[in-house]
Amino acid sequence: MSDDSDQGDYAPESPVLSQSEEEYDDRPLNGLRIEKAPFGLEKIWDYEPGGHHVVHLGDHLGREGEYRVIHKLGSGGFANVWLCQVLRNEIPQYVALKVLMADYSKDDCPELRVERLREVGLENHICLPFDQFRIEGPKGSHLCFVYPVAGPRVSLIAQQFEDPDRSLRKIARQATEAMAALHSHGICHGDFTPSNILLKVVGLDGLPEDEVLKILGDPVKVEVFTESGETPSDPTAPKYLVRPANFRNVPLPYIVDQILVIDFGEAYDVTNPPEELGIPESYRPPELLLENTPGAGCDLWALGCTLFEIRTGRKLFDMFDDDIDSHLFYMVTMLGALPEPWWSTAWKRRKEFFKDEPDSLGRAVMVDALSKRQSDRLSERRSIEWALRRGLHYRDLGPGEEFRREIPPEEVEQLAGLLKKILQYEPSHRLTAAEALEHEWFRM
């Protein structure tokens, strides 16, 4: 359930949350609209039967109303996540409360599978709920999960760490440890991307609500209107939406270089892969692109792409429009020719990009016209080393802000060696997560 429009339901300011203005100009059947930019907000037309439960700041949720809503942490394709204060404790405690849309709150909801993770003790670096309940509302029955509070993706605050290089390697190792733990118990994540790897938030418990809001910033409301321009009076419609907390401005002591892996909506048993996976295009391996055959190898390929992105701030395969042929083209220029039968038959448009025979080093050879255009643009042949030598470049820091630094040559060599072993075309040849942890890059 997680393509680029579904992910990030816990992470604020995920790209999934921005919908085009054209989409928002189509008046929803529920007759509701907003007049401000929709970025970071759920779709207003999803407040309909089977959709979102209406939640306002100050509402009390839970079996006994013990969770009071004080802010919003994120929105995704099928849920909203709220920051709540737990009222049953004398000392203030804060949690993330995820409310699923009714249509996604079935008894076979993939998110319920995380209980198995608790049973096998996989709580280190993995975000598991410590409470769950249902809300029966006018839109239907909504599953709710109570999680520890997680913060931003690493891309939002990487430059704040005292030693960014060390912290990014530490975060990458934790991500690999999390996957190794899952796989050791026969569980695939299914959507292992940087958007689902968040940094831990610490130090909020014990603070009064007003102090917490000083740290996170006050909630920003976006008014909702009916078609007649009035505030909805129907209790089944929201009076306003809430923008997610902006973690860019949260001081570092409250965010640490420890991760929580979230969103198990695509998780599956290694022995029983689904017919399809909803992982975003940039993290899809060749067997998904060409044969649509999910399996544990898909997790490993996504791990390789994710390690590169954590360390560099850039996607390894970044296509403008998620075009499969563009993805395969960049894959081949970076990693070499695909094995048979993918090269000759499965990739239908391959001959438009590459000649049949590789060069003397076994590298794919572009067709002449394309080779001329590429050589005019690039002075060096693409490779993982080439991509790593471009250095670290985080651009997700706010308007006009970015963070750049070089990656030392010796680290380029080490990390490239690791990624080449993970990003093998043949799934069975890929380094496992447990094997990857033994690589010398993690000991730098």
Side-chain angles (χ1 to χ4, degrees):
M1 232 14 50
S2 174
D3 56 22
D4 262 348
S5 64
D6 286 337
Q7 62 175 314
D9 34 284
Y10 199 138
E13 306 189 57
S14 166
V16 298
L17 311 176
S18 353
Q19 305 296 324
S20 69
E21 291 190 10
E22 287 79 5
E23 286 181 290
Y24 272 81
D25 284 341
D26 292 335
R27 291 295 176 89
L29 296 176
N30 59 15
L32 302 176
R33 61 182 175 86
I34 58 174
E35 294 184 347
K36 293 187 178 180
F39 307 124
L41 300 173
E42 64 271 31
K43 300 169 187 174
I44 188 63
W45 59 76
D46 279 337
Y47 284 95
E48 60 181 2
H52 287 299
H53 181 67
V54 174
V55 176
H56 291 114
L57 297 171
D59 283 358
H60 291 235
L61 305 176
R63 298 177 188 84
E64 300 176 359
E66 65 267 39
Y67 303 112
R68 185 162 62 84
V69 178
I70 67 169
H71 210 317
K72 191 181 194 180
L73 292 172
S75 299
F78 57 88
N80 288 323
V81 184
W82 300 93
L83 178 66
C84 296
Q85 183 178 355
V86 183
L87 300 180
R88 61 173 173 253
N89 302 329
E90 292 184 11
I91 299 175
Q93 180 188 0
Y94 300 91
V95 297
L97 200 158
K98 184 174 185 176
V99 183
L100 270 62
M101 294 169 64
D103 281 349
Y104 292 93
S105 296
K106 309 302 182 186
D107 289 337
D108 60 352
C109 166
E111 198 129 1
L112 291 170
R113 297 176 191 155
V114 299
E115 283 306 310
R116 177 182 168 189
L117 306 184
R118 187 185 308 283
E119 292 169 8
V120 295
L122 297 184
E123 299 188 20
N124 193 25
H125 306 319
I126 295 174
C127 192
L128 300 179
F130 42 76
D131 190 13
Q132 68 180 63
F133 56 91
R134 280 188 176 270
I135 293 175
E136 304 298 331
K139 311 300 184 187
S141 178
H142 305 263
L143 271 171
C144 302
F145 298 91
V146 182
Y147 291 98
V149 179
R153 302 185 306 277
V154 65
S155 59
L156 292 182
I157 64 160
Q159 81 287 359
Q160 295 186 35
F161 291 122
E162 181 178 353
D163 184 347
D165 297 332
R166 179 182 175 277
S167 288
L168 292 174
R169 287 194 297 269
K170 177 181 176 181
I171 289 165
R173 180 178 181 85
Q174 292 171 12
T176 309
E177 289 172 344
M179 180 175 287
L182 289 170
H183 287 192
S184 71
H185 289 87
I187 300 168
C188 287
H189 185 278
D191 191 13
F192 202 88
T193 68
S195 292
N196 287 330
I197 299 172
L198 306 185
L199 298 175
K200 289 183 179 179
V201 174
V202 299
L204 297 185
D205 290 347
L207 298 178
E209 178 183 327
D210 60 340
E211 288 296 319
V212 170
L213 294 181
K214 283 181 183 178
I215 294 167
L216 298 181
D218 289 326
V220 176
K221 301 177 183 178
V222 176
E223 286 188 276
V224 173
F225 300 97
T226 63
E227 288 185 324
S228 61
E230 300 175 345
T231 299
S233 57
D234 184 344
T236 67
K239 293 180 171 55
Y240 54 83
L241 306 183
V242 181
R243 296 201 187 277
N246 185 351
F247 279 94
R248 288 192 183 103
N249 302 319
V250 175
L252 200 57
Y254 296 101
I255 300 174
V256 295
D257 56 0
Q258 299 175 29
I259 69 161
L260 286 172
V261 176
I262 65 163
D263 193 355
F264 288 82
E266 294 283 340
Y268 60 92
D269 290 342
V270 170
T271 57
N272 186 30
E275 293 184 1
E276 294 185 357
L277 272 184
I279 190 167
E281 180 72 29
S282 294
Y283 309 92
R284 297 172 78 86
E287 66 268 24
L288 270 188
L289 298 175
L290 295 169
E291 297 178 341
N292 192 32
T293 53
C298 299
D299 257 13
L300 297 173
W301 184 277
L303 173 65
C305 296
T306 295
L307 294 180
F308 177 90
E309 190 167 337
I310 288 172
R311 187 62 186 93
T312 68
R314 295 174 282 109
K315 290 181 180 179
L316 182 60
F317 306 113
D318 193 6
M319 295 70 62
F320 176 72
D321 57 358
D322 283 351
D323 176 69
I324 289 179
D325 292 303
S326 295
H327 191 173
L328 291 169
F329 172 80
Y330 287 122
M331 194 181 290
V332 169
T333 57
M334 193 82 70
L335 302 173
L338 296 164
E340 298 292 358
W342 293 345
W343 186 249
S344 297
T345 58
W347 185 9
K348 303 301 183 184
R349 296 184 59 192
R350 191 268 305 165
K351 291 179 181 292
E352 298 178 30
F353 304 97
F354 297 101
K355 298 180 179 179
D356 291 344
E357 299 300 325
D359 65 14
S360 59
L361 297 177
R363 299 176 302 193
V365 179
M366 292 183 199
V367 296
D368 293 339
L370 189 57
S371 178
K372 176 64 169 65
R373 292 205 303 269
Q374 290 292 315
S375 62
D376 289 343
R377 292 177 56 245
L378 296 173
S379 58
E380 182 181 359
R381 190 180 183 97
R382 288 181 186 266
S383 65
I384 291 181
E385 289 88 349
W386 168 83
L388 290 170
R389 280 195 292 270
R390 296 174 65 198
L392 185 152
H393 186 194
Y394 276 109
R395 294 171 292 183
D396 207 7
L397 309 177
E401 296 183 43
E402 60 182 15
F403 174 55
R404 290 179 178 268
R405 62 192 287 138
E406 293 183 358
I407 298 175
E410 62 273 17
E411 185 177 354
V412 167
E413 181 180 352
Q414 297 279 6
L415 181 52
L418 171 61
L419 294 179
K420 287 176 182 178
K421 291 179 179 178
I422 298 175
L423 298 171
Q424 292 286 310
Y425 286 138
E426 172 56 51
S428 64
H429 294 169
R430 289 170 197 158
L431 210 62
T432 67
E435 290 168 343
L437 288 170
E438 301 301 317
H439 195 274
E440 49 201 332
W441 180 67
F442 286 117
R443 297 193 293 271
M444 291 189 71

